[in-house]
Amino acid sequence: MSMFHDEFDQSPGLRYLNHAAVAPWPRRASHAVARFAQENVAQGASDYPAWLATERRLRERLARLLNAPSRGDIALVKNTSEALSLVAFGLDWQPGDQVVISDEEFPSNRVVWEALADQGVEVVQVSLAGADPEAALLNACGRHTRLLAISAVQFGSGLRLDLERLGEGCQARQVLFCIDAIQQIGALPFDVQAYQCDFAMADGHKWMLGPEGLGVFYCRAALRPQLRLNAYGWHMLEHLGDFERRQWQPARSARRFECGSPNMLGACALEASLSLLEDVGMEKVARLLGQRVDQLYQGLAAIPGVCLHTPAASQRRAGIVTISLKGRPSTELYQALSAERTICALRGGGVRFSPHFYTDERLIDETIQQVRRLAMR
C-alpha cells in the first residue's frame, strides 16, 4: 500500500475526509496535467492523435469500471446533472407518467424530474426510513410509473441501496431504471449489467479522484435511439471528422450525447486517476475503504452524545459516515472541526465524513479523538 499512499501529497496536519464532495488528485493526475500543459506551450496540438488515444483509454477504463458491454456505451459528459438532463429531456413523456425517487436525493436527482411538470409528469417521493427501502421504492412503482431514479448511495445519510434487487424489480414491472452513481463509482465495484439499469451517471471529481467538469454517462444500447437529442454539433455525428459530408446522422454509440469538442485537459487527469484505481483493483479499494469506514463508524459510535445518521450494517454503507451531537447545532461541530483542519461537510442534517481507501488510519483516529473532545465541551 505504501506506493499508493505516496500518490497523495497532503499537507501536514490536514485530515481530508471529504471525498464525497471533491477529492484530492493523486500525483499521477497532477503529472499528466503538467505534461499536457507543457506540451500545449511547446507545440500546441501537434500531437492531437496522442490526445485522442488518451481519451480512448479513458473510455475503456470507464467501461471496465462500470462493466459496460463496450466503450461505445460510454459518453463523456460535463457532470451528473447533464447526464440526468439527457435522460429527463430525451424520453417521450405522456401526461400522467410518474417518476419514482426517494425523499433523500441530492437536488440534481430531484429538480430534473420536477422540471417535467409542464409535460404532465408526476414525481413520487418515497421515504427510505423503513427497514426495507427497496420494497418501499418498488411498491411505489404503479401502472403509471415510467422510471425509477435513485442514488446508489444517499449523499446525506450514506445509505447504500441494493441495486441488483431494484434492477430486478424494475425489469419485472417494465419500469426504466436510472442510477445516480456518483457516491459509489470509484468507492465500490459497480456493474451496470448486474443491476440491469438503463442509465447510470457520475462525476469524476469524487471517488474517482479526478477533476471537476468531466463525468460519465452510461446508456443501454437499445435505449440510445429512444432518447431525443437536444444538442447537436460536429462531435456527435456518426461520420466524425468528415467535415465536407452533407448527409449526417447521430453516432450509433453513446458519443451521440457529446455535441462538441471534448474536455481533453479533464480527460488527461481522469484517465490517470482511474489508472490508479485499476492498479489497486476495485475489490481492494472497496475492502480498504470498508475498513476505514468501519473504524470511523465504531469509533464515533462509542462517543457519548453522538447520533449516527448512517446505517450500522456494513452492507448498507459505502464511504460516508454522518453524525450529529445530541442537542448541539451541527454547524458548531463542523466549524470546530474545520478550524482544526479536518475537512468534512455539512450534509444530511449533520457532519459528513468520507475517507477513501488510501486514508491513513491514524488520521481517522485523530478525527475520532477530535469529535470526542468537542462532544465533551
Side-chain angles (χ1 to χ4, degrees):
M1 271 294 295
S2 59
M3 67 174 288
F4 301 125
H5 279 294
D6 292 344
E7 284 277 359
F8 296 90
D9 186 22
Q10 292 182 8
S11 305
L14 184 72
R15 286 167 289 276
Y16 201 94
L17 301 175
N18 205 26
H19 295 82
V22 178
W25 294 4
R27 285 182 187 272
R28 64 180 71 186
S30 172
H31 294 162
V33 167
R35 286 193 301 270
F36 184 80
Q38 185 55 45
E39 187 175 322
N40 269 272
V41 168
Q43 60 190 59
S46 301
D47 202 8
Y48 201 84
W51 299 1
L52 292 174
T54 299
E55 187 196 48
R56 185 172 61 252
R57 287 196 305 275
L58 172 59
R59 292 178 193 274
E60 290 167 350
R61 291 190 193 280
L62 287 166
R64 290 192 292 271
L65 192 61
L66 276 66
N67 194 32
S70 78
R71 74 168 185 261
D73 299 306
I74 297 296
L76 301 178
V77 292
K78 292 192 293 293
N79 46 53
T80 307
S81 299
E82 181 184 39
L84 286 164
S85 295
L86 288 168
V87 177
F89 295 95
L91 290 171
D92 182 22
W93 300 99
Q94 302 300 316
D97 282 348
Q98 292 179 334
V99 176
V100 171
I101 66 173
S102 85
D103 62 351
E104 297 185 20
E105 294 302 312
F106 191 75
S108 298
N109 198 34
R110 175 176 51 82
V111 298
V112 71
W113 312 113
E114 292 176 343
L116 299 171
D118 62 353
Q119 297 184 48
V121 177
E122 179 189 3
V123 177
V124 177
Q125 293 193 38
V126 176
S127 172
L128 302 178
D132 194 345
E134 290 81 12
L137 288 164
L138 293 172
N139 288 340
C141 294
R143 62 190 182 92
H144 296 295
T145 305
R146 184 83 179 279
L147 179 140
L148 170 63
I150 194 70
S151 292
V153 177
Q154 291 302 322
F155 81 102
S157 68
L159 171 68
R160 175 187 172 194
L161 292 171
D162 184 340
L163 300 177
E164 287 195 40
R165 183 177 168 197
L166 290 175
E168 289 171 3
C170 286
Q171 284 286 313
R173 291 164 176 77
Q174 296 185 302
V175 169
L176 294 172
F177 186 26
C178 178
I179 304 174
D180 177 343
I182 196 168
Q183 297 293 2
Q184 180 164 334
I185 297 178
L188 304 176
F190 192 87
D191 190 333
V192 296
Q193 297 186 68
Y195 307 150
Q196 302 181 73
C197 64
D198 300 290
F199 315 105
M201 57 281 291
D203 283 81
H205 67 262
K206 297 185 188 292
W207 304 97
M208 286 187 266
L209 303 170
E212 290 187 285
L214 186 58
V216 58
F217 174 41
Y218 164 81
C219 179
R220 188 160 58 84
L223 281 169
R224 285 201 290 269
Q226 297 180 39
L227 285 187
R228 180 177 61 253
L229 297 173
N230 295 288
Y232 291 81
W234 69 277
H235 194 264
M236 48 80 69
L237 303 178
E238 176 65 25
H239 298 92
L240 176 64
D242 188 350
F243 302 122
E244 306 305 320
R245 188 184 184 91
R246 292 295 177 177
Q247 300 301 315
W248 61 271
Q249 64 187 67
R252 287 177 295 228
S253 73
R255 185 168 50 76
R256 62 173 37 217
F257 303 116
E258 306 171 16
C259 65
S261 296
N263 178 359
M264 284 296 186
L265 178 62
C268 281
L270 186 55
E271 192 275 332
S273 294
L274 293 187
S275 75
L276 172 60
L277 293 180
E278 283 204 306
D279 285 349
V280 180
M282 280 310 304
E283 294 293 339
K284 186 173 183 180
V285 166
R287 177 171 54 81
L288 293 171
L289 176 57
Q291 291 170 358
R292 283 148 179 78
V293 167
D294 191 61
Q295 175 190 358
L296 185 59
Y297 189 96
Q298 300 304 328
L300 293 172
I303 300 172
V306 165
C307 303
L308 286 144
H309 300 221
T310 302
S314 59
Q315 69 270 20
R316 284 296 190 186
R317 303 193 302 246
I320 289 170
V321 177
T322 303
I323 67 164
S324 57
L325 295 180
K326 196 172 297 183
R328 307 262 292 274
S330 293
T331 51
E332 177 188 299
L333 174 60
Y334 170 73
Q335 289 165 1
L337 288 166
S338 299
E340 296 183 18
R341 304 195 72 200
T342 295
I343 311 302
C344 49
L346 274 172
R347 299 287 191 276
V351 173
R352 184 185 71 185
F353 302 101
S354 48
H356 212 322
F357 77 96
Y358 68 88
T359 304
D360 194 310
E361 294 97 322
R362 175 182 53 82
L363 301 182
I364 293 176
D365 279 334
E366 289 176 4
T367 301
I368 294 166
Q369 294 311 312
Q370 273 185 303
V371 174
R372 181 182 297 278
R373 189 175 68 255
L374 293 168
M376 294 174 66
R377 281 184 181 175

